[in-house]
Amino acid sequence: MKVVQRNSLDPIETFSRQSSLTIGNFDGCHTGHQELLRLARSIGANHNAQTMVLTFDPHPREFF
């Protein structure tokens, strides 16, 4: 699983065309986050795709 952390509006590096991407403010890995990551990995595996996580720091509410 690839983790991409955003702290600016700079362009994101090129993603694989076959990606299972989940986006959010993963401010801890509680049960809900774990389920999202499990689902993203499962979808990626079923489609032979790279699994990626896009997260933000600081929280978008603080950034904007």
Side-chain angles (χ1 to χ4, degrees):
M1 179 180 307
K2 184 171 187 172
V3 177
V4 178
Q5 186 171 358
R6 301 299 298 153
N7 58 10
S8 73
L9 294 177
D10 294 336
I12 298 172
E13 63 194 56
T14 304
F15 293 123
S16 166
R17 293 188 135 239
Q18 293 291 329
S19 296
S20 172
L21 175 67
T22 185
I23 303 171
N25 185 47
F26 293 91
D27 54 352
C29 206
H30 57 71
T31 306
H33 288 151
Q34 291 174 32
E35 181 60 20
L36 287 173
L37 297 174
R38 186 202 63 74
L39 182 59
R41 290 186 82 176
S42 175
I43 291 169
N46 288 339
H47 295 281
N48 196 29
Q50 180 179 14
T51 302
M52 300 179 78
V53 175
L54 177 66
T55 187
F56 306 89
D57 183 34
H59 190 282
R61 181 175 39 235
E62 295 175 31
F63 186 79
F64 293 105

